[in-house]
Amino acid sequence: MCNLQGSISRGNKNRRPPEKVRRRFSLLLLNLEEYYFEQHTANHILCDSHQNERKIRGSLKICSKSVIFEPDKTFQPIIKIPLRDCIKIEKQGDDGANRLFVKTQHGKISLVFSQVYFIKEHNIVAPYKIERGKMQYVFELDIAGKVEDVVETLLQLHRASCLDKLGDQTAMITAILQSRLARTSFDKNRFQSLSEILKMECKAEMVTPLVTNPGHVCITDTNLYFQPLNGYPKPVVQITLQDVRRIYKRRHGLMPLGLEVFCTEDDLCSDIYLKFYESQDRDELYFYIATYLDKETEADKSQVTCQSYIAKNHITEHTAESYMLQWQRGHISNYQYLLHLNNLADRSCNDLSQYPVFPWIINDYFSAELDLSNPETFRDLSKPIGALNKERLERLLIRYQEMPDPKFMYGSHYSSPGYVLFYLVRIAPEHMLCLQNGRFDHADRMFNSIAETWKNCLDGATDFKELIPEFYGDDFSFLVNSLKLDLGKRQGGKMVDDVELPPWASDPKDFLQKSKEALESNYVSEHLHEWIDLIFGYKQKGNEAIGAHNIFHPLTYEGGVDLNSIEDPDEKVAMLTQILEFGQTPKQLFVIPHPRRITPKVKSLSQPSSQSASLADSPVSPGEESFEDLTEESRTLAWNNITKLKLYETYKIHKEAVTGIAVSYNGSSIFTTSQDSTLKMFSKESKTLQRSISFSNMALSSCLVLPGDNTVISSSWDNNVYFYSIAFGRRQDTLMGHDDAVSKISWHNNRLFSASWDSTVKVWPCVPLEMTETKRHHFELLAELEHDVSVDTISLNAAGTLLVSGTKEGSVNIWDLSTATMLHQIACHSGTVYCAAFSPDSRHVLSTGEDGCLKIIDVQTGMLISSMTSEHPQRCFLWDGNCVLAGSQSGELLVWDLIEARVSERIQGHTGAVTSIWMNEQCSSIITGGEDRQIMFWKLQY
């Protein structure tokens, strides 16, 4: 909205809003796809019936399809003469004799034409006044030597405007523009410093809503510049590269030619949007900016690179998945997440054909009070607007079935330039006049009432529009006629003024506040993913879109037409115009169902939905989303201070690498396994090694202590699992359940889970009390989870309902233990998966691998939502869902901030790889083991 308002003051209830705008001329006075070339200080010569001259001082502006004269005195109207309507264009001699389209030797420029527009008389924004009939206007330039050049330019542009075919007109005007650009270059005197080093220069256009302005782009080692060919609105636009926070490649006019630069983190509007003539120029400029950001933040990156590069101060491009993780875990709001998705899907405030799209949320615009605890208050987010009314949908389906290919359900889009300006006409009236050839829409079709608009979206035969971000922002000026515009009179005689609000809103500010509360409500948080599936996700195209009644005209989709394949220039221009005016579907960001947001355990609001909830309701149950009180607080405090980890004791008790660490429930004894084939028992109190047990001459891979502190279980590369009785000090039993090395074991609720290089994970019943008996235990196989290759690691979720396994070839598998079935298999790593574990809320899985990558997977959908790469592989880790404490191949402990996707702390530790890590329940004490044969004791100090 900031780009649309321009210099118009924002609404403020504490002062009287201005009735007139300050700035007179703007590029919005031009036709769509018209260029402003140059201006000349001039006088408009008026003669009365007695041939007495009167001069009106102003500036004459030469545009590609019109001549515009802007008087200095604001009460006088701006004059716009379409070149197509010109009959004669010539230099006028002293005797007043005119010759058709001929250059003579003297003074003034004469235009004879059949139609003229008068705009902003008394500096009031209003529909253009049109005068028709043969007329002559004479303009006198201050610099007489410029007259012949101006006349020649006008004659050339007039010839272009009078060509019969639109494609030929466009081609000729484009040739004239490119010729002008080729004859000029960026003025290096505009550099901020003499020491700046030029990196590249090229031709481009600066894009603002409904307008493109040609000029020269220049990038140096410190600044990005754009110099408009016409010097409007200022001689040069300069952006300091150090201020850049985000850059996005854009699709503009269906072509990969756009680049948008932001100097803020979360603002809706960018600092500059550029459209290039060649995609190679766009990509090269993007490279220079991204390279600069890389160099600026090298120290902060700490040798970390990310799939979606995010540094401490600068961002090039996030992925949708990285924002998804932040949104799911509550680090960004629903509003912020939708803004980010719009940005990533090529939606921009500078492009009205791809303006950011937001959903209708509220269904109740008639009650006196807005009840956000009632599901009926909300719109069904699982359906597109066109499918919300059952009767209308039935009519649309009948038409759809009878339609020849290519079929589509809706004859209009949910977002288009007309719809955007429908909502914003009160703050962007000149944009509406530009779009509609100098006219406002009929008063009864204007944005008069929130309730009426919503009703028409539900019932109207051709109205399927969604909302725009302004409905959930802070600036309510778009709802108020602060400019005192004359927008017409409705059939009932009422003038169009401020937007009529629902009864539950006391004023525009209250309306926006309650709309924001609705958007951030628990109900919307639980269902917003369904709307995202429709607009940005897997229900946008194909059979899923057909099933969701979400089919729009084929030309609205990315890739729906290849403009380069259209040879006829007229057809190409007509096609592009049709697409841009109709609206465009966002770029598809997701091809599988979008995960739900994680919400605290509250009384759930639900409604029937087409989105299947079986996965969310079964393995990941609502009970798993609950939050503990005191223990949770202590854990949160500990993880918030995890960077303050301090080493206080080190012991070398093994002869080879440590492979596993377990601590007795009473905390008195530490058990470790090693590749030296021994199980060690270390006393925490006496700081002494108490026992060393060897079961075979093969390496032990992991260990755990059973509840009751009577038994320790160890897994071995000799294919066996060994049970050791602490009380009796001897091996009590052996489980010979695999055909190859046992790589990892886990325990939950009297069940043992063993992973093996024989490509299986097996589930065994084991009651701890039975382990104290002297007799051997009978092991019965409960379930076998078969894999294609060796399994190197496993982990259970907190409830013991899900298991994740990681394989030698890099796949991560999520299993539903209630049915012993695989839910998802994700090819995550290009080598062995070293470690994989669920987040405490069971919503995500984190995995690390031989390839040095850290991957985050959404459990419900199996979607890979984040990928980070470190200099060295992370061999083991602990995490709380937001932060990771990882043991690195380098011997360091790394603290990863997953939300910002960076290493926030490096802690020196082992002299070889950290191979095992353990943490107590309060998250305050940590033990690590490494290839250096040492175990290290750490504590948080805060």
Side-chain angles (χ1 to χ4, degrees):
M1 183 168 66
C2 52
N3 290 328
L4 292 177
Q5 284 182 286
S7 62
I8 298 174
S9 300
R10 292 178 181 272
N12 189 322
K13 66 178 181 179
N14 296 320
R15 62 172 173 81
R16 180 177 176 80
E19 296 185 5
K20 303 174 183 178
V21 296
R22 293 179 181 177
R23 194 174 65 191
R24 295 264 281 164
F25 173 77
S26 86
L27 298 179
L28 293 167
L29 302 183
L30 280 60
N31 295 342
L32 295 176
E33 303 299 321
E34 184 177 6
Y35 297 108
Y36 166 37
F37 286 142
E38 61 192 52
Q39 75 164 357
H40 303 275
T41 305
N43 294 312
H44 178 200
I45 309 297
L46 298 176
C47 295
D48 59 20
S49 57
H50 301 290
Q51 296 300 309
N52 296 318
E53 284 191 353
R54 182 166 65 92
K55 295 183 177 182
I56 299 176
R57 191 73 173 153
S59 63
L60 188 69
K61 305 177 190 299
I62 310 303
C63 307
S64 59
K65 296 181 181 179
S66 63
V67 176
I68 296 176
F69 181 76
E70 178 188 16
D72 290 345
K73 295 182 179 179
T74 59
F75 70 87
Q76 294 171 328
I78 294 173
I79 297 168
K80 177 179 178 181
I81 304 169
L83 287 171
R84 188 178 180 87
D85 295 325
C86 287
I87 301 169
K88 294 181 181 179
I89 301 173
E90 61 188 359
K91 178 179 179 182
Q92 188 180 53
D94 289 341
D95 59 359
N98 300 330
R99 290 187 292 158
L100 179 62
F101 304 136
V102 175
K103 296 185 292 179
T104 61
Q105 300 300 316
H106 254 63
K108 304 162 188 175
I109 298 174
S110 171
L111 300 178
V112 179
F113 49 87
S114 59
Q115 182 170 259
V116 62
Y117 295 89
F118 298 102
I119 305 168
K120 289 187 182 177
E121 189 171 5
H122 300 291
N123 202 22
I124 295 174
V125 177
Y128 302 169
K129 295 179 180 178
I130 305 175
E131 187 174 326
R132 295 184 175 90
K134 188 174 181 180
M135 292 163 275
Q136 179 183 15
Y137 280 4
V138 177
F139 300 97
E140 180 183 51
L141 303 189
D142 277 11
I143 303 176
K146 292 281 188 181
V147 172
E148 290 189 6
D149 289 339
V150 172
V151 170
E152 184 173 344
T153 297
L154 289 175
L155 291 173
Q156 189 180 32
L157 293 170
H158 177 266
R159 287 194 296 273
S161 296
C162 291
L163 293 173
D164 292 334
K165 294 185 177 181
L166 187 60
D168 293 340
Q169 291 181 30
T170 301
M172 185 171 178
I173 291 172
T174 299
I176 294 170
L177 170 63
Q178 292 300 321
S179 175
R180 283 175 166 261
L181 287 170
R183 295 196 306 267
T184 57
S185 62
F186 185 87
D187 181 3
K188 307 303 187 296
N189 292 320
R190 295 288 180 180
F191 283 178
Q192 294 289 299
S193 169
L194 294 175
S195 62
E196 285 187 66
I197 301 172
L198 176 66
K199 295 296 184 181
M200 73 167 287
E201 179 183 347
C202 65
K203 300 176 290 185
E205 297 177 9
M206 188 170 75
V207 179
T208 53
L210 300 181
V211 169
T212 59
N213 199 14
H216 296 276
V217 170
C218 183
I219 188 168
T220 69
D221 55 336
T222 55
N223 291 290
L224 171 66
Y225 298 95
F226 176 76
Q227 186 171 31
L229 186 65
N230 50 36
Y232 180 89
K234 55 184 179 180
V236 67
V237 177
Q238 178 256 330
I239 292 176
T240 304
L241 293 180
Q242 191 173 8
D243 294 337
V244 174
R245 293 296 181 269
R246 294 178 286 148
I247 53 175
Y248 295 94
K249 292 180 180 179
R250 294 290 189 219
R251 174 181 50 133
H252 187 272
L254 304 184
M255 303 290 285
L257 299 173
L259 182 71
E260 193 160 22
V261 180
F262 292 77
C263 293
T264 54
E265 301 290 357
D266 297 310
D267 276 4
L268 181 61
C269 299
S270 64
D271 290 79
I272 193 169
Y273 187 135
L274 296 169
K275 171 201 168 187
F276 296 80
Y277 299 110
E278 301 291 340
S279 59
Q280 181 179 348
D281 289 339
R282 189 274 304 269
D283 294 342
E284 187 175 353
L285 189 72
Y286 178 93
F287 169 78
Y288 278 119
I289 298 177
T291 301
Y292 175 88
L293 301 186
D294 286 341
K295 290 179 180 178
E296 281 293 295
T297 56
E298 191 68 32
D300 294 321
K301 285 164 59 179
S302 301
Q303 302 298 319
V304 180
T305 58
C306 304
Q307 175 181 326
S308 167
Y309 168 52
I310 312 165
K312 184 175 182 180
N313 297 318
H314 300 285
I315 301 175
T316 50
E317 284 198 40
H318 270 294
T319 60
E321 289 79 12
S322 65
Y323 283 124
M324 181 199 299
L325 179 65
Q326 297 182 52
W327 172 72
Q328 275 197 290
R329 308 209 73 83
H331 292 271
I332 58 175
S333 65
N334 292 338
Y335 175 82
Q336 290 172 314
Y337 186 46
L338 290 176
L339 274 188
H340 289 313
L341 293 185
N342 273 282
N343 252 326
L344 292 167
D346 280 341
R347 313 301 285 190
S348 168
C349 292
N350 286 300
D351 185 351
L352 296 190
S353 68
Q354 298 189 91
Y355 201 79
V357 56
F358 268 59
W360 285 94
I361 292 295
I362 299 169
N363 185 43
D364 178 7
Y365 293 101
F366 300 99
S367 299
E369 298 291 334
L370 186 65
D371 183 5
L372 296 182
S373 66
N374 181 3
E376 298 301 319
T377 298
F378 298 92
R379 165 253 182 112
D380 184 350
L381 289 166
S382 69
K383 298 177 181 177
I385 290 291
L388 292 175
N389 182 320
K390 185 177 179 181
E391 290 75 18
R392 179 178 65 178
L393 178 61
E394 289 175 352
R395 294 193 299 269
L396 290 169
L397 284 172
I398 293 174
R399 190 189 70 173
Y400 173 77
Q401 291 162 1
E402 296 173 349
M403 185 181 295
D405 289 333
K407 296 175 180 284
F408 57 92
M409 286 195 63
Y410 308 116
S412 63
H413 206 255
Y414 50 76
S415 177
S416 69
Y419 288 159
V420 173
L421 295 177
F422 169 84
Y423 291 126
L424 299 181
V425 63
R426 289 167 178 80
I427 58 168
E430 292 184 79
H431 290 79
M432 178 64 85
L433 293 173
C434 176
L435 186 68
Q436 299 199 151
N437 298 314
R439 299 186 301 272
F440 290 132
D441 206 346
H442 189 278
D444 286 301
R445 292 195 296 268
M446 298 287 277
F447 181 31
N448 293 301
S449 159
I450 304 288
E452 282 183 15
T453 302
W454 171 239
K455 185 176 185 302
N456 200 54
C457 288
L458 289 179
D459 302 336
T462 59
D463 193 349
F464 312 106
K465 60 178 170 287
E466 293 279 8
L467 294 182
I468 54 177
E470 284 77 359
F471 278 82
Y472 305 102
D474 297 318
D475 186 356
F476 57 79
S477 58
F478 75 101
L479 299 170
V480 181
N481 188 15
S482 59
L483 296 175
K484 305 302 178 186
L485 300 167
D486 183 357
L487 298 172
K489 185 181 293 186
R490 304 189 66 182
Q491 286 185 354
K494 184 179 179 181
M495 296 296 296
V496 176
D497 197 26
D498 296 347
V499 176
E500 184 180 334
L501 303 173
W504 45 258
S506 59
D507 55 36
K509 183 177 180 180
D510 185 52
F511 171 76
L512 289 191
Q513 180 59 38
K514 288 176 178 173
S515 296
K516 286 190 288 185
E517 291 172 1
L519 179 62
E520 304 302 334
S521 67
N522 196 66
Y523 176 89
V524 174
S525 292
E526 290 179 349
H527 294 276
L528 187 58
H529 65 284
E530 298 173 333
W531 186 82
I532 292 171
D533 283 336
L534 296 169
I535 306 302
F536 304 105
Y538 82 112
K539 290 185 178 180
Q540 186 196 91
K541 300 178 182 177
N543 292 331
E544 294 290 348
I546 295 173
H549 309 306
N550 194 37
I551 302 296
F552 294 86
H553 195 284
L555 292 180
T556 68
Y557 296 91
E558 183 178 23
V561 61
D562 180 7
L563 288 179
N564 291 326
S565 67
I566 302 176
E567 297 181 358
D568 186 295
D570 278 342
E571 183 183 350
K572 180 180 292 188
V573 171
M575 181 75 71
L576 181 59
T577 301
Q578 176 186 350
I579 293 169
L580 296 183
E581 291 182 357
F582 189 87
Q584 297 178 65
T585 300
K587 178 191 295 183
Q588 189 174 26
L589 300 179
F590 309 105
V591 294
I592 61 176
H594 190 286
R596 290 168 45 194
R597 193 176 195 186
I598 301 167
T599 53
K601 187 180 180 183
V602 295
K603 185 176 180 179
S604 176
L605 301 177
S606 60
Q607 71 174 24
S609 166
S610 61
Q611 171 72 20
S612 173
S614 59
L615 177 57
D617 293 340
S618 177
V620 186
S621 64
E624 294 169 37
E625 298 177 18
S626 64
F627 297 95
E628 298 172 75
D629 298 327
L630 295 177
T631 305
E632 182 65 26
E633 288 181 12
S634 66
R635 289 172 182 163
T636 301
L637 181 62
W639 276 102
N640 288 342
N641 290 276
I642 199 70
T643 57
K644 300 175 182 177
L645 202 60
K646 301 297 180 185
L647 176 65
Y648 72 97
E649 287 175 341
T650 301
Y651 300 94
K652 183 177 289 188
I653 60 175
H654 284 283
K655 296 179 181 180
E656 298 291 342
V658 177
T659 57
I661 301 173
V663 178
S664 60
Y665 285 77
N666 61 21
S668 63
S669 300
I670 293 94
F671 297 89
T672 59
T673 53
S674 168
Q675 289 184 2
D676 64 10
S677 77
T678 64
L679 169 69
K680 305 282 189 180
M681 179 176 173
F682 186 84
S683 172
K684 183 178 180 182
E685 296 176 359
S686 64
K687 315 296 184 187
T688 58
L689 181 63
Q690 293 186 324
R691 300 180 193 176
S692 180
I693 307 102
S694 181
F695 302 111
S696 73
N697 61 356
M698 298 288 283
L700 299 180
S701 56
S702 65
C703 62
L704 57 85
V705 179
L706 295 186
D709 287 345
N710 294 314
T711 304
V712 179
I713 308 179
S714 301
S715 56
S716 174
W717 285 5
D718 67 2
N719 308 355
N720 298 326
V721 177
Y722 295 99
F723 294 78
Y724 177 78
S725 171
I726 301 173
F728 293 98
R730 60 181 175 82
R731 182 175 66 179
Q732 185 169 343
D733 213 336
T734 302
L735 170 60
M736 295 179 285
H738 288 280
D739 299 322
D740 206 336
V742 181
S743 54
K744 189 74 178 287
I745 53 174
S746 291
W747 173 275
H748 187 275
N749 196 24
N750 296 337
R751 290 187 178 183
L752 176 67
F753 301 82
S754 58
S756 172
W757 295 352
D758 67 6
S759 305
T760 66
V761 175
K762 295 183 178 181
V763 186
W764 315 87
C766 290
V767 180
L769 292 177
E770 295 179 3
M771 294 292 109
T772 65
E773 300 174 6
T774 57
K775 65 180 182 180
R776 297 178 66 85
H777 188 77
H778 173 68
F779 296 102
E780 178 185 354
L781 181 64
L782 289 181
E784 182 173 329
L785 311 180
E786 294 185 357
H787 296 67
D788 295 329
V789 294
S790 302
V791 182
D792 281 80
T793 185
I794 56 169
S795 183
L796 300 169
N797 69 335
T801 56
L802 299 173
L803 179 142
V804 59
S805 58
T807 70
K808 182 180 181 180
E809 293 186 355
S811 69
V812 173
N813 311 281
I814 300 174
W815 298 80
D816 179 359
L817 293 177
S818 64
T819 58
T821 56
M822 184 187 294
L823 299 175
H824 305 292
Q825 183 176 49
I826 307 100
C828 282
H829 299 275
S830 58
T832 300
V833 179
Y834 282 142
C835 190
F838 289 91
S839 57
D841 58 18
S842 302
R843 290 294 184 183
H844 297 117
V845 163
L846 174 67
S847 66
T848 61
E850 186 180 7
D851 55 5
C853 293
L854 290 83
K855 308 274 188 169
I856 301 177
I857 301 161
D858 179 78
V859 172
Q860 182 189 3
T861 63
M863 180 185 292
L864 181 63
I865 62 175
S866 183
S867 178
M868 295 159 284
T869 305
S870 60
E871 185 179 6
H872 301 283
Q874 311 293 284
R875 295 287 296 272
C876 55
F877 65 83
L878 303 164
W879 75 311
D880 72 337
N882 301 317
C883 186
V884 179
L885 178 64
S888 174
Q889 183 81 29
S890 66
E892 299 170 297
L893 294 181
L894 302 185
V895 179
W896 290 79
D897 184 334
L898 295 179
I899 303 306
E900 295 191 13
R902 65 183 180 91
V903 173
S904 57
E905 190 69 30
R906 290 174 175 268
I907 305 168
Q908 294 301 317
H910 295 264
T911 56
V914 184
T915 52
S916 188
I917 189 167
W918 172 90
M919 175 185 279
N920 67 345
E921 187 176 0
Q922 291 74 31
C923 307
S924 58
S925 295
I926 291 163
I927 305 174
T928 58
E931 284 185 346
D932 58 5
R933 300 167 287 173
Q934 297 187 100
I935 57 171
M936 294 185 174
F937 292 79
W938 308 77
K939 281 189 177 180
L940 287 179
Q941 295 183 357
Y942 56 91

